[in-house]
Amino acid sequence: MDLPETFITSVCRELELECCFALLEPWSASTQMPARVIVPRSPLAEADEADARRQAAELAKAVPGRTIVLLPCTLDTSDQEKAAKAMIPALSNRGACVIAVFLAHSTAAMTREFKSRALNCSEALMRLGAADVIIDFGCNLTASVLSHKVCVMYTKFCAHASRVESMLETEGWYVTEEKLKEVRSQYYKALWVDVPHLLMPRFPTLNPRLVETSDRVDKYFQHHVLKESSNVKVFEAKGEAEDNTVII
């Protein structure tokens, strides 16, 4: 049994909270899965990004808004990182309070490198949409301590959500679909019609008789390549006079 499964089985029966759990990987067949656990049927990491997000969105439909979802993880493999990028946004987009529990083995040394990794993983989970992160070293969190931490985090989550809803109601900056289409149309017209119409006539025309070779354009010879890619080449060129330098 891996760490996330160990964590869930150790706290789910004693946890005095209305919450559910979510896993980034399918539950192992070696033990019976407790109730209130959301798991993917197949590894999300094996699917492409779009399909993984689609599967995660289907799983998240079972979670009502503002539900507490505890998501234990280790992020010690690329598969877990890929699954987290699909699962956490899907749950948070449903309005759930996703509290990630970053788990570490009890045998892990509390070195500066480990503390730095734990901090980086916590920041990554928050960027994906987790409301907060709890770090559990060796699955030592008791149900009572976990309940207290989660209650504090959930209170902060609800207060923040209420403030955002209040701001949206009072400031009224919501943009309708019709207004959005109008702005896009104006943007397109300005960028691709008005600006070219004003500027293109002012551009000098190119002399069709210019001599161009691999190292020369007209009377300017290539001196130094500044940047080159598959279809673009930018170089410094010099004319007949020593001080006559141009960029082509």
Side-chain angles (χ1 to χ4, degrees):
M1 187 184 300
D2 61 8
L3 275 181
E5 293 181 10
T6 301
F7 171 83
I8 291 176
T9 53
S10 64
V11 303
C12 66
R13 294 178 181 176
E14 301 178 12
L15 198 62
E16 298 178 357
L17 286 173
E18 289 289 334
C19 68
C20 61
F21 298 87
L23 284 178
L24 299 176
E25 297 173 309
W27 190 273
S28 64
S30 59
T31 57
Q32 184 176 0
M33 185 177 70
R36 300 180 299 165
V37 181
I38 301 170
V39 295
R41 294 180 180 178
S42 59
L44 294 176
E46 294 180 0
D48 58 46
E49 185 176 342
D51 191 38
R53 290 185 177 182
R54 189 161 44 249
Q55 292 182 44
E58 286 297 318
L59 291 170
K61 288 181 180 179
V63 180
R66 295 206 180 184
T67 300
I68 300 173
V69 180
L70 297 180
L71 191 145
C73 59
T74 57
L75 297 189
D76 54 0
T77 64
S78 59
D79 286 354
Q80 280 221 354
E81 292 178 0
K82 183 178 179 180
K85 291 178 180 178
M87 182 69 81
I88 295 178
L91 291 168
S92 60
N93 287 342
R94 292 284 297 176
C97 175
V98 183
I99 298 177
V101 184
F102 178 72
L103 302 170
H105 291 278
S106 57
T107 55
M110 290 296 288
T111 60
R112 179 179 297 179
E113 289 76 17
F114 172 79
K115 293 178 181 178
S116 176
R117 178 178 176 272
L119 179 60
N120 291 337
C121 288
S122 298
E123 292 176 349
L125 291 165
M126 295 280 282
R127 285 195 299 270
L128 289 173
D132 218 322
V133 179
I134 297 173
I135 298 179
D136 185 6
F137 188 68
C139 289
N140 290 323
L141 273 181
T142 62
S144 59
V145 172
L146 180 64
S147 296
H148 175 72
K149 287 179 176 290
V150 171
C151 283
V152 172
M153 293 176 175
Y154 185 62
T155 301
K156 289 166 56 181
F157 169 82
C158 290
H160 177 71
S162 297
R163 282 198 302 270
V164 171
E165 290 174 357
S166 177
M167 289 171 60
L168 291 176
E169 290 175 359
T170 56
E171 295 185 9
W173 59 273
Y174 175 74
V175 180
T176 64
E177 188 66 26
E178 291 75 14
K179 184 63 176 177
L180 189 59
K181 288 181 180 179
E182 181 185 345
V183 172
R184 286 175 175 167
S185 176
Q186 293 173 354
Y187 175 80
Y188 181 89
K189 182 175 180 293
L191 184 62
W192 300 109
V193 179
D194 296 341
V195 172
H197 180 75
L198 290 172
L199 294 183
M200 290 300 289
R202 301 175 184 271
F203 291 163
T205 56
L206 184 66
N207 182 359
R209 294 188 177 87
L210 281 178
V211 177
E212 183 175 354
T213 65
S214 60
D215 62 348
R216 174 190 172 191
V217 176
D218 194 29
K219 61 181 179 181
Y220 297 97
F221 291 85
Q222 178 179 315
H223 176 67
H224 176 64
V225 176
L226 301 176
K227 186 172 183 179
E228 187 171 10
S229 64
S230 58
N231 57 356
V232 176
K233 184 177 182 180
V234 181
F235 58 89
E236 177 185 318
K238 291 187 177 294
E240 297 174 350
E242 285 296 325
D243 58 347
N244 191 2
T245 303
V246 298
I247 301 299
I248 299 178

